[in-house]
Amino acid sequence: MKILAIDTSNYALGVALADNDKILGEYITYSKKNHSIRIMPAIQTLMKDCDWKPADIEKIVVAKGPGSYTGVRIGVTIAKTMAWSLNVPLSGVSSLEVLASGAARYFDGLVAPLFDARRGQVYTALFKGEEGELKQIEKDQLAMMAEFAESLKNRKEQILFIGTDIHIHQQLIEEVLGDRALFAEMTEHNPRPSELALLGRNRPSEDIHSFVPNYIRLAEAEANWLEKNRKTKQG
Amino acid sequence: MKKDQLIMGMETSCDETAVAIIKNGREIVANVVASQIESHKRFGGVVPEIASRHHVEQITIVLEEAMNQAGIQMTDLDAIAVTEGPGLVGALLIGVNAAKALAFANNLPLVPVHHIAGHIYANRLVTEMMFPLLSLVVSGGHTELVYMKEHGHFEVIGETRDDAAGEAYDKVARTLNMPYPGGPHIDRMAHEGSPTIDLPRAWLEEGSYDFSFSGLKSAVINTVHNAEQRGEIIEPKDLAASFQESVIDVLVTKTLRAAKEYKVHQVLLAGGVAANKGLRAALEKSFSELSDIELVIPPLALCTDNAAMIGAAGSILFEKGKRADLALNANPGLDIDIYN
Ligand SMILES: [Zn+2]
C-alpha cells in the first residue's frame, strides 16, 4: 500500500512516502517557519522524485498533534482534503508517539517525548518499547514539567527524554530524577515522517469529515467562557 | 461550441466556511456556507482561534455538499479559486491549504482571490458589469470606494482612516447593550426611531473620498455617557436612527460624488453592511434621479461572506491568467491593487 505521511505539527516539517515495507523517500526540515508555504511544494517535490502521481496514493497518515495549533491545522487540513478528494483512507497518529517511536523501539526503559508549551508546561506522554512495538504508558497530556517529573519518581526504569525543547527543562528533570533520566542525542530529537508512515500503516481509518487535530487544550476564550458559566451557575 | 467554464470558489477568511461552484463567471451552480456565528455570539465577537478550529471541522463537509449540489466531478472543474486575504490569518490558512491540496490532488490550476474583489464580483452574479464602475464596499472590516476601469482592475479611491463602518455599528450596538452582531439591531431600531440627535459627519478635507467613523462612534458613546450623568433618558431608537443617518449620509454623498466625477456607468454595493436596509434605501433614492448610472445591490445572501463571490472573481482572474503555485500563503494584509 502506498502511503503519504505528513507532519507539520511542530518544528519538523516532514513528508514521507512508503510502499508496503519500503520507505521510498523523506523530506524533512527542522525550522518552525512557513509550514504553510513549504509543505505542499515539499509533497510535490518528493512525489515527483519518487515517480508518484496523486492518484497513486492509497492512504494518508498525518501527525494530529499535540503541537502548534496553526501547524497541526495545516497538516490536518491538507491530509483531510486530499484523502477526501482522492477517496483514500486517512489515519491520524499522535505527534508525541512519532517523536518517541524511533528511540523507544530498542530502548529497554521508558521514553518521554516532549514539546515545550511555555510557562513551565510541556506536551508529553510516556512510552515503553516492547519487542519492537511501542506501548503507551501515559496518555498525551499538557503538564507542568515539574509535576510530570515528580510523577515519574516512583518508576524503577530509566527514562529517556526526547525533543528539541529538552534543553529548556533538562536541569529541572535532572534535579528530580537524577541519573535515572537520560537525554537523547541531537539526532534523535526530531520526529521522522517515515516513523509516522510506519505507525499509521495499520491504524484504523478516521472519519474524514469529523477528523480534527488533538489540540489537548481548549481555545483560551472557550476555557474562560466555560469557567465564567460554571461560576454563574454556582451563583 | 465553447465548453462551459466551471470554477470552484473557497472562502474561509473570517467566520464562514464556504464553497461554491460557478459556471461561466455568472451562474451559481452550488453555493454552500457554514456559518459559525452562533458559536461566536457568546464571546461578543469572532474569536480567531475558535474560527480556525471550526473551519477544520467544516471544510470537507462543505466541499462535499457543494460537489453534491453541483452534481459534478472534480475533473469537470477548470480551476480552484480561493481567498488569499485579507482576513484572519489562521482562518485563511484553512481555505488556502485545502485549496492547494485539491489543486494538487486533481492537477487543477489555483487562482488566488482578494476577498474584497470577491465582494465586488458578487454583483456579477446579479447582472453583467459595465465599465467604468464604482463599488462601495462596506463590511465589518472594510469601508472603501473602489473604481474599476475594466475586469480585474481595482483602484481604491477612498477608504476608512480608522474604523470600518461595520465596526462602528458593532461598537455602537455594544454601547446600547445590543447583542453581537450589532449591525442588524441598529438598522432595525433606526427604522423605529427618528434622527433627532445631532451627531457629527466626518467629511474630511475637500474632495477626499476617504472615510472616518471613530469620531462618530465616540460622539455616540459620549452622548449616552453625558445623558446618564445628567440623569436624562435618551431614546435608544432615536440614537440608533441618528447614528445610522450620519453613517449613511457620508457613505451615500461620497459615493454619489465619486460616481459623477469618474463618470461611471454602474455603482455596485458590496460587503456585509450592504444588508443594511437604511443604506439600500438611501442609495436607491439618490441614484433614482440619475438615469445614466445603474445602481446594483446584490441579494443579502451574496452580500455577507460566501464562496460564490470568490468563484465569480476567480473566473475573471483565471481568464486573465492569474495563477498561484503550491507555495501560496495566507496573506492577512493583502492589498487589492495587486492585480493592476
Ligand atoms: Zn467579507
Side-chain angles (χ1 to χ4, degrees), chain B:
Chain B
M1 203 180 86
K2 194 174 160 282
K3 179 189 159 291
D4 285 329
Q5 180 212 57
L6 282 173
I7 305 281
M8 173 183 279
M10 300 181 76
E11 152 68 35
T12 64
S13 68
C14 190
D15 61 342
E16 341 268 4
T17 318
V19 176
I21 311 292
I22 300 299
K23 189 199 267 185
N24 299 327
R26 300 220 33 218
E27 192 184 322
I28 298 175
V29 182
N31 187 16
V32 182
V33 181
S35 174
Q36 311 172 357
I37 196 152
E38 288 306 319
S39 173
H40 294 286
K41 258 184 186 164
R42 59 199 159 133
F43 308 115
V46 175
V47 179
E49 172 61 23
I50 289 174
S52 305
R53 291 187 180 198
H54 285 315
H55 285 308
V56 180
E57 291 160 14
Q58 292 296 326
I59 190 72
T60 58
I61 297 172
V62 173
L63 273 167
E64 186 161 296
E65 205 178 318
M67 292 303 282
N68 287 345
Q69 254 184 34
I72 58 166
Q73 308 294 316
M74 293 300 292
T75 47
D76 298 326
L77 291 171
D78 290 276
I80 313 258
V82 65
T83 307
E84 173 187 8
L88 302 169
V89 63
L92 288 164
L93 278 172
I94 306 307
V96 165
N97 280 288
K100 291 199 291 184
L102 281 181
F104 175 68
N106 300 284
N107 196 22
L108 286 168
L110 185 64
V111 181
V113 176
H114 190 283
H115 182 76
I116 296 303
H119 274 304
I120 295 170
Y121 270 88
N123 283 277
R124 197 164 178 247
L125 299 166
V126 178
T127 186
E128 188 52 274
M129 288 168 153
M130 289 187 294
F131 300 99
L133 64 76
L134 181 72
S135 185
L136 171 64
V137 184
V138 267
S139 72
H142 296 269
T143 309
E144 287 165 11
L145 277 169
V146 181
Y147 172 74
M148 292 179 70
K149 65 175 185 203
E150 63 192 22
H151 274 307
H153 180 278
F154 306 89
E155 188 187 334
V156 178
I157 62 168
E159 63 194 325
T160 184
R161 294 183 184 171
D162 37 62
D163 295 345
E167 224 175 327
Y169 266 89
D170 285 342
K171 285 178 185 165
V172 166
R174 218 171 297 154
T175 305
L176 298 176
N177 294 317
M178 295 284 120
Y180 172 88
H185 293 287
I186 300 279
D187 190 21
R188 186 175 38 75
M189 285 167 74
H191 283 273
E192 292 164 6
S194 24
T196 52
I197 299 154
D198 197 29
L199 291 172
R201 281 144 175 75
W203 298 110
L204 304 174
E205 58 276 12
E206 179 87 29
S208 170
Y209 290 119
D210 280 352
F211 302 99
S212 166
F213 295 105
S214 71
L216 172 61
K217 175 196 69 191
S218 305
V220 170
I221 294 168
N222 288 340
T223 304
V224 172
H225 192 73
N226 293 341
E228 268 169 12
Q229 279 190 334
R230 288 198 298 265
E232 293 168 11
I233 292 169
I234 285 194
E235 184 55 59
K237 288 177 199 162
D238 293 341
L239 189 59
S242 308
F243 165 76
Q244 172 131 315
E245 191 188 66
S246 173
V247 173
I248 290 174
D249 191 7
V250 177
L251 289 177
V252 173
T253 305
K254 292 207 175 197
T255 304
L256 198 60
R257 183 155 56 80
K260 287 176 184 165
E261 189 192 318
Y262 282 81
K263 297 188 173 60
V264 298
H265 296 308
Q266 256 179 349
V267 169
L268 315 178
L269 189 55
V273 180
N276 185 290
K277 289 195 196 73
L279 178 59
R280 288 170 170 249
L283 281 171
E284 273 160 9
K285 185 161 172 290
S286 299
F287 280 90
S288 65
E289 295 143 27
L290 301 169
S291 57
D292 52 342
I293 301 178
E294 185 193 14
L295 175 70
V296 186
I297 302 181
L300 300 189
L302 292 177
C303 292
T304 50
D305 287 354
N306 64 85
M309 68 187 204
I310 302 303
S315 165
I316 287 293
L317 296 170
F318 174 69
E319 276 176 13
K320 288 189 154 248
K322 174 90 179 158
R323 299 288 184 276
D325 62 18
L326 293 178
L328 178 68
N329 201 10
N331 193 339
L334 188 67
D335 284 328
I336 197 167
D337 49 19
I338 45 157
Y339 300 120
N340 304 346

Side-chain angles (χ1 to χ4, degrees), chain A residues 148-162:
Chain A
F148 185 68
E150 283 294 332
S151 78
L152 299 174
K153 253 182 160 173
N154 297 328
R155 295 193 181 270
K156 294 181 292 291
E157 303 96 323
Q158 290 215 298
I159 302 157
L160 177 65
F161 289 86
I162 304 184

